[in-house]
Amino acid sequence: LEFRRVLFRSDYIVKRPDLQHLDTLPAVIDRCAERTRWRREEARLRDEMDLLLAAIRNTGDAVVMCDAAQRVLFWNFAAERLLGWRADEAVGRILDIVPADRLAEIESLMEQARRGAPPTGVDTVRQRRDGSLVEVSLTLTALLHPDGSARAYVSVFRDISERKALDRARADFAAMLSHDLKNPLAVV
């Protein structure tokens, strides 16, 4: 059956549908439903990733991720404040934030992380962009490939300069007090 109909000066030809492909319709519907589920799951994962990324970007501790060659892959806002480089300046570069006298320390920590040692805070020193040193507590974690080689390292830094200054003031006070107690006549 074929007929022509004129509607708003346009010609349409309506043909009787070919019904022999109806048996493939359930498979087509299943594929469409599966694609819809994939899109929903993809959107959910994207939202979850955005939320986690926002949390890491805005945390109070400096978070820096480097590849195995020490090239910066991620740099959060706290790292910008603590170390002095903006994220767009740091990402993709190898930065000299480890002072020369601490290179052996970081190599040892990286090796421990590669072997799967649990991350612990290590008090150390890092170098800012202006060359000044800042005392930090460092937690280093290795992200490994399935073969065990390092894919990336995640470093979390916390500025402990104030705590260290307070510790030094306490130690100085205790030393002075001890000296004064041992030598009471020296005070007079």
Side-chain angles (χ1 to χ4, degrees):
L1 282 175
E2 190 175 302
F3 65 91
R4 278 187 187 268
R5 184 169 98 172
V6 177
L7 183 66
F8 301 112
R9 295 189 192 176
S10 300
D11 288 339
Y12 293 96
I13 299 175
V14 178
K15 294 184 178 182
R16 193 169 131 217
D18 187 4
L19 300 178
Q20 79 186 73
H21 296 292
L22 282 179
D23 58 340
T24 61
L25 189 59
V28 170
I29 292 171
D30 286 345
R31 281 196 305 267
C32 289
E34 187 174 346
R35 285 184 184 153
T36 301
R37 283 191 299 272
W38 285 350
R39 286 188 186 119
R40 284 184 186 143
E41 181 64 13
E42 191 177 288
R44 187 191 68 76
L45 289 173
R46 198 175 310 112
D47 288 345
E48 188 175 310
M49 188 176 79
D50 289 345
L51 181 65
L52 291 172
L53 194 56
I56 293 170
R57 277 193 177 128
N58 295 299
T59 188
D61 292 337
V63 178
V64 177
M65 182 186 301
C66 296
D67 64 12
Q70 300 301 312
R71 191 172 323 282
V72 175
L73 302 173
F74 178 82
W75 189 271
N76 76 347
F77 299 131
E80 290 180 3
R81 287 188 303 273
L82 181 66
L83 299 170
W85 282 278
R86 291 189 328 263
D88 62 335
E89 297 170 325
V91 172
R93 295 182 49 202
I94 298 173
L95 300 176
D96 294 327
I97 63 171
V98 179
D101 63 333
R102 301 292 178 131
L103 290 175
E105 174 191 60
I106 193 66
E107 287 298 326
S108 171
L109 290 171
M110 289 168 62
E111 181 57 34
Q112 290 174 19
R114 270 193 299 270
R115 284 183 290 159
T120 56
V122 176
D123 291 354
T124 188
V125 176
R126 288 297 172 260
Q127 187 170 318
R128 291 184 170 126
R129 182 179 191 165
D130 64 5
S132 64
L133 298 178
V134 60
E135 293 175 300
V136 296
S137 176
L138 165 67
T139 302
L140 183 71
T141 306
L143 304 177
L144 305 176
H145 287 289
D147 67 359
S149 63
R151 177 179 180 193
Y153 294 94
V154 178
S155 302
V156 179
F157 303 103
R158 177 171 286 164
D159 186 350
I160 58 170
S161 300
E162 289 180 15
R163 186 186 86 195
K164 289 292 190 172
L166 186 59
D167 288 347
R168 284 190 291 275
R170 281 185 192 143
D172 291 346
F173 178 74
M176 180 188 70
L177 188 61
S178 173
H179 179 267
D180 288 349
L181 290 174
K182 288 180 183 176
N183 300 316
L185 294 178
V187 176
V188 179

